[in-house]
Amino acid sequence: MKGPKTVYTCSECGHQSPKWLGKCPSCGAWNSFEEETYVDVKASASTAVSGEKAVLLGELDVPEYMRTPTEISEFDRVLGGGLVVGSAVLLAGEPGIGKSTLLMQLCGKLGDDYKIMYVSGEESRSQLKLRAKRLGVDPAKMYVQNEVLVEAILKEYESVAPDIMIIDSIQTLVTQTAASSAGSVTQVRECASKLIAKIKADGTSLIIVGHVNKEGGIAGPKVLEHMVDAVLSFEGERSQTHRIVRAVKNRFGSTNEIGVFDMTEAGLVPVENPSAMLLEGRPEGVSGSCAVCLMEGTRPIIAEVQALVTQTSYPSPRRTADGIDYNRMCLLLAVIEKRLGLRFSTCDVFLNVVGGISIDDPAADAAIILALISSLKDIPVPNDLIVMGEIGLSGEFRAVASLTQRIAEAKRLGFTEVAVPQNQISRGHMDPSLTEGLTAMKGIYDAVRILAKSQKTE
């Protein structure tokens, strides 16, 4: 065996170089190279040639994936119905967001029927016991281990033979086949590879907790996300009590679903009606506020878009967007100025989505425009009005997907007037029960007419 040598590894793609580089020649990332001590070891049995022959795809039997429902409704929604037997799930989020709390609650739901092995490299067994006691968790078949060496974990895994294994977290583990420190690109890649290969061979479900870096991405090599079957992002604001679990990757389900939780003293509580939670405390008769219905997978969610437009005292006005893409805000401001002649060049513009959620649905364009004009002219948007539609550069409103589900959700929450693109109403494919109270919007001028109408009513 050769002695150790120093190499530089890209934390984004795993590309190695004998010297430090400012830009990775493989993926183009800047300042991503980290120094590591590399030991050239012989190929392990898992990487040896298996000698398996190629077979015709048509001759293979279609496997029926068995799922284990976690009994946590929002978590099952994101996973696509539950944990798939023999799958690896990566749960990533900022420190203190509630990852360990969610997993401990999962152990409480499944610990009586399934054998669970909880491996923690960050907390002692007494700390885990205190968290379990606080959450009211006392599973009969839950084993805890405080270990960071992968070889020792796999040895204990053989004796316990669990149905579900939880690793908290992958950045704390080390393996004897790599000489670098814990959390390095090599250690994370090798540890995850050993764990995933073992659980897939035995049909055990694996949940891996991952940290995030200062840029918001998952710490460690990018290849970690390719190795697992599902990547879940745990999001939320520290000043807010609700948390959102979003599927970034899912080989056994949709990547558009989200799960909403409310952080309480008793742990994370699933929120079955997130629209009511996001609209709670919405002000009445105040300009710059407009409701919109978004689609998160198959679930319609009504959110509130707020805008504040005020005269600036600086030569260059400020533009701030929280929960909305900054470039999208600039585009919509340009459309308003060009098509309506309203000037924002002497005003500071602040946009916010209440609740800390992020909007990437183009159907929110109409609500953003209405909120901006409402704040500029100080004309309140009617509280019983909800708008949805994508705006084009010519100022026209374009069709949005899943309009029927959006309208049904809006009417369920008490919105009596729904403004939608005109071409979708004229098609005539909509349920007659949903057409009552619809307002057609052909272009951006109709948004101004809605505000002018509400001002005359007042």
Side-chain angles (χ1 to χ4, degrees):
M1 181 185 298
K2 296 181 180 180
K5 62 180 180 179
T6 300
V7 296
Y8 293 88
T9 306
C10 175
S11 60
E12 297 293 330
C13 65
H15 178 81
Q16 292 185 338
S17 170
K19 61 180 181 179
W20 186 88
L21 300 175
K23 181 180 180 180
C24 177
S26 178
C27 65
W30 287 92
N31 300 322
S32 60
F33 278 89
E34 298 179 1
E35 182 180 357
E36 294 184 0
T37 302
Y38 178 73
V39 179
D40 187 13
V41 298
K42 295 182 179 180
S44 61
S46 61
T47 59
V49 178
S50 62
E52 184 177 350
K53 296 182 179 180
V55 296
L56 291 173
L57 182 63
E59 297 179 355
L60 296 176
D61 295 329
V62 180
E64 295 184 2
Y65 294 106
M66 297 177 58
R67 291 186 182 270
T68 303
T70 64
E71 301 183 21
I72 302 177
S73 58
E74 295 298 297
F75 197 58
D76 285 339
R77 173 190 288 271
V78 178
L79 290 173
L83 285 171
V84 175
V85 176
S87 67
V89 177
L90 176 63
L91 179 64
E94 294 184 355
I97 203 68
K99 302 184 296 296
S100 300
T101 300
L102 177 62
L103 294 179
M104 185 60 72
Q105 290 182 241
L106 184 144
C107 294
K109 296 290 186 180
L110 300 179
D112 294 332
D113 300 322
Y114 299 92
K115 191 182 295 184
I116 301 176
M117 181 176 174
Y118 195 114
V119 182
S120 177
E122 301 176 346
E123 298 175 293
S124 64
R125 287 176 290 185
S126 59
Q127 288 176 310
L128 294 175
K129 181 64 176 181
L130 288 174
R131 175 181 288 115
K133 185 177 180 180
R134 176 174 61 86
L135 299 175
V137 175
D138 189 20
K141 299 180 181 179
M142 178 180 173
Y143 296 83
V144 295
Q145 183 185 17
N146 184 234
E147 183 58 70
V148 296
L149 185 63
V150 169
E151 286 76 12
I153 294 173
L154 293 177
K155 183 179 179 180
E156 190 65 21
Y157 167 86
E158 291 286 351
S159 61
V160 174
D163 301 310
I164 301 172
M165 183 164 68
I166 299 175
I167 303 295
D168 188 8
S169 64
I170 189 64
Q171 279 79 16
T172 61
L173 301 189
V174 294
T175 177
Q176 295 175 339
T177 58
S180 54
S181 60
S184 64
V185 174
T186 303
Q187 287 286 3
V188 171
R189 182 182 64 246
E190 294 299 321
C191 292
S193 177
K194 292 177 183 293
L195 291 170
I196 293 174
K198 185 60 179 175
I199 64 101
K200 286 188 176 294
D202 297 343
T204 302
S205 299
L206 174 66
I207 301 179
I208 301 174
V209 176
H211 295 167
V212 296
N213 51 32
K214 59 183 179 181
E215 288 82 16
I218 300 175
K222 193 70 175 178
V223 71
L224 176 62
E225 300 179 41
H226 297 282
M227 296 166 63
V228 298
D229 298 304
V231 179
L232 307 183
S233 176
F234 207 170
E235 306 169 358
E237 298 289 339
R238 293 184 180 273
S239 58
Q240 304 287 341
T241 60
H242 65 271
R243 304 287 186 266
I244 296 177
V245 179
R246 189 186 306 273
V248 180
K249 169 189 175 182
N250 193 351
R251 289 175 179 161
F252 307 107
S254 173
T255 57
N256 295 322
E257 299 287 352
I258 67 168
V260 184
F261 296 87
D262 189 24
M263 177 65 81
T264 65
E265 295 180 357
L268 291 164
V269 178
V271 178
E272 302 294 341
N273 189 6
S275 298
M277 180 191 69
L278 294 174
L279 292 177
E280 186 179 3
R282 184 187 177 200
E284 296 184 2
V286 179
S287 62
S289 173
C290 187
V292 61
C293 188
L294 313 171
M295 289 300 297
E296 293 289 350
T298 59
R299 167 188 281 179
I301 295 179
I302 295 181
E304 179 188 355
V305 177
Q306 290 185 337
L308 178 62
V309 181
T310 179
Q311 290 292 324
T312 183
S313 57
Y314 300 98
S316 179
R318 294 185 60 185
R319 300 284 187 265
T320 303
D322 188 7
I324 299 172
D325 182 61
Y326 176 82
N327 294 325
R328 191 68 182 175
M329 177 189 67
C330 295
L331 183 147
L332 296 177
L333 287 172
V335 172
I336 296 174
E337 290 194 353
K338 179 68 175 180
R339 303 304 172 188
L340 296 180
L342 300 177
R343 299 301 174 188
F344 292 84
S345 56
T346 59
C347 298
D348 293 331
V349 177
F350 305 90
L351 271 179
N352 176 50
V353 182
V354 177
I357 66 173
S358 298
I359 291 180
D360 56 4
D361 191 342
D365 290 351
I368 296 173
I369 284 179
L370 211 61
L372 289 170
I373 300 175
S374 170
S375 180
L376 179 67
K377 295 298 183 179
D378 200 18
I379 303 174
V381 177
N383 292 320
D384 58 350
L385 170 68
I386 185 171
V387 297
M388 53 196 81
E390 180 183 0
I391 192 72
L393 295 182
S394 300
E396 79 283 5
F397 282 114
R398 296 182 174 271
V400 298
S402 307
L403 183 62
T404 302
Q405 292 92 323
R406 297 175 195 259
I407 296 176
E409 177 70 7
K411 290 183 176 295
R412 187 180 69 83
L413 289 180
F415 289 93
T416 58
E417 187 176 356
V418 182
V420 298
Q422 183 181 20
N423 58 351
Q424 289 191 280
I425 299 179
S426 61
R427 291 175 185 174
H429 301 303
M430 193 176 299
D431 188 348
S433 63
L434 299 177
T435 57
E436 184 180 355
L438 292 187
T439 300
M441 295 188 303
K442 185 177 181 181
I444 193 173
Y445 307 101
D446 294 319
V448 179
R449 293 191 184 99
I450 291 175
L451 287 177
K453 181 181 177 181
S454 65
Q455 188 179 26
K456 292 179 181 179
T457 303
E458 294 178 359

